[in-house]
Amino acid sequence: WAFGRYPRFKLPNRADLNPASTDVRALVGRTELWLESQRRALPPPAVKLVDHIGLQLDALGLQLADVDQAHPQAAEVRKLVGEHLPDLVESYRKIPEHLRYEERAGATPTAQFTEALGKISGEIDSVTRQLASGAIDNLAIQTRYLDYKYGEALEEAEKR
């Protein structure tokens, strides 16, 4: 009874992934939910990549909390997760099941799709690393400062 009283969570549809009309962090979250809902229509090798991309989108969403919406990386993320990824999945889903495993131009559509998902995963990783580089550098600077202030430098001064 209690579960029937609460509204069900609405999964985003393809139209909800408009990169121009939403906050980049919200777009990443919606894309992750939408991608998860597409799993049943995807081949097994692609499902593993979709799981990995989901984890990457989780991490990316957390990083985007502190990124300005006008930042160039935010625009890149919008295009990647709001256009390229959904367009790729939609293109694959339009191929009839019996044609997905026929070889054309040296590869099957399923192999091409899986390869393209791998490239998108690599690009998400690259954007995540670029966004994290400033935080990594700041941590290294703070560690060096603390080491100088309280670590080895202090021990050297005490020995004198």
Side-chain angles (χ1 to χ4, degrees), residues 101-119:
Y101 299 96
E102 280 186 13
E103 190 169 317
R104 291 184 64 156
T108 64
T110 298
Q112 291 172 342
F113 175 67
T114 304
E115 181 182 336
L117 276 178
K119 289 177 183 175

Side-chain angles (χ1 to χ4, degrees), residues 5 19-20 28 32 54 71 76 83 86-87 89 96 118 120 130 135 145:
R5 302 227 350 121
V28 168
E32 182 181 0
H71 192 278
E76 178 65 27
E83 288 181 31
D87 288 348
V89 173
I120 286 177
Q130 289 172 13
Y145 171 76

Side-chain angles (χ1 to χ4, degrees), residues 1 9 39 41 43 55 59 67 69 75 99 110 117 125 127 132 139:
W1 177 81
F9 181 73
R39 288 178 55 137
L55 293 173
V67 174
Q69 296 296 308
L99 297 177
T110 298
L117 276 178
D125 182 60
V127 169
L139 179 63

